[in-house]
């Protein structure tokens, strides 16, 4: 689901834009992934991220809020043979991630943080936004009329 900060709430709480139509940042797409992630779901998640990239090319940054993600341990496939073919390595998107602390620990143990980059893993939406907004294109920020994040005030044109 796509999220955006609600300007009517005191802390600009993030809400589902399908339930309450709100303006989104023209450069940053914020999505929330809920539910269980296991080996068989990896392709589906990757396909959904590719679809978002195709549908919203102007939003060059994607923040994945993963507070509702539950990871299942991957078990060895029952008919996997030692030395035999192994599943193809999945492409890991180079996107900022916002997972639960437990998910972060699993990602670290599995080496995922090396692909994503430690600088792209955050423990709160606020921390993520503070880090991502300065990475946005300053010329696009200068022309932006939306300015939905507190941090937008420090960007050109604010």
């Amino acid at each position: 689901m796509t999220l955006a900060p609600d300007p009517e709430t005191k802390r600009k709480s993030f809400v589902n834009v399908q339930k309450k139509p709100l303006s989104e940042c023209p450069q940053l797409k914020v999505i929330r992934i809920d539910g269980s992630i296991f080996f068989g779901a990896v392709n589906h998640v990757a396909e959904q991220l590719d679809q978002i990239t195709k549908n919203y090319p102007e939003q060059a940054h994607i923040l994945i809020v993963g507070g509702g993600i539950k990871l299942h341990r991957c078990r060895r496939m029952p008919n996997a043979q030692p030395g035999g073919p192994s599943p193809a390595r999945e492409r890991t998107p180079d996107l900022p991630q916002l997972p639960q602390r437990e998910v972060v620990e699993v990602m670290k143990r599995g080496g995922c943080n090396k692909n994503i980059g430690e600088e792209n893993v955050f423990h709160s939406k606020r921390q993520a936004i503070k880090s991502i907004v300065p990475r946005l294109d300053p010329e696009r920020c200068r022309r932006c009329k939306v300015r939905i994040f507190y941090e937008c005030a420090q960007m050109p044109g604010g």
Side-chain angles (χ1 to χ4, degrees), residues 16-105:
N16 181 344
V17 299
Q18 285 81 15
K19 292 183 179 177
K20 183 175 185 176
L22 294 169
S23 297
E24 291 183 61
C25 173
Q27 297 187 68
L28 173 62
K29 183 81 167 167
V30 181
I31 62 168
R32 179 177 174 94
I33 298 177
D34 290 320
S36 300
I37 301 285
F38 58 96
F39 180 76
V42 171
N43 281 339
H44 175 72
V45 172
E47 288 170 7
Q48 293 299 308
L49 290 172
D50 286 341
Q51 196 62 44
I52 289 169
T53 302
K54 288 176 187 165
N55 291 344
Y56 306 97
E58 69 284 355
Q59 289 175 308
H61 300 268
I62 298 174
L63 170 61
I64 300 171
V65 178
I69 293 176
K70 296 168 190 69
L71 287 180
H72 289 273
R73 292 180 192 245
C74 295
R75 295 193 180 104
R76 191 172 202 32
M77 296 173 76
N79 43 356
Q81 301 291 324
S86 58
R89 185 171 168 224
E90 295 300 327
R91 179 178 68 88
T92 304
D94 184 21
L95 306 170
Q97 308 280 313
L98 182 66
Q100 292 176 317
R101 293 191 189 280
E102 296 82 23
V103 175
V104 171
E105 289 306 313

Side-chain angles (χ1 to χ4, degrees), residues 71-142:
L71 287 180
H72 289 273
R73 292 180 192 245
C74 295
R75 295 193 180 104
R76 191 172 202 32
M77 296 173 76
N79 43 356
Q81 301 291 324
S86 58
R89 185 171 168 224
E90 295 300 327
R91 179 178 68 88
T92 304
D94 184 21
L95 306 170
Q97 308 280 313
L98 182 66
Q100 292 176 317
R101 293 191 189 280
E102 296 82 23
V103 175
V104 171
E105 289 306 313
V106 171
M107 288 170 52
K108 282 182 183 177
R109 285 195 306 267
C112 295
N113 283 7
K114 292 176 187 164
N115 292 335
I116 294 170
E118 290 285 338
E119 73 280 6
N120 292 321
V121 178
F122 309 98
H123 293 285
S124 71
K125 286 185 285 295
R126 185 62 40 215
Q127 180 189 36
I129 299 299
K130 279 184 177 184
S131 176
I132 296 168
V133 169
R135 301 181 199 178
L136 300 177
D137 179 352
E139 287 309 310
R140 289 187 64 197
C141 286
R142 188 179 315 281

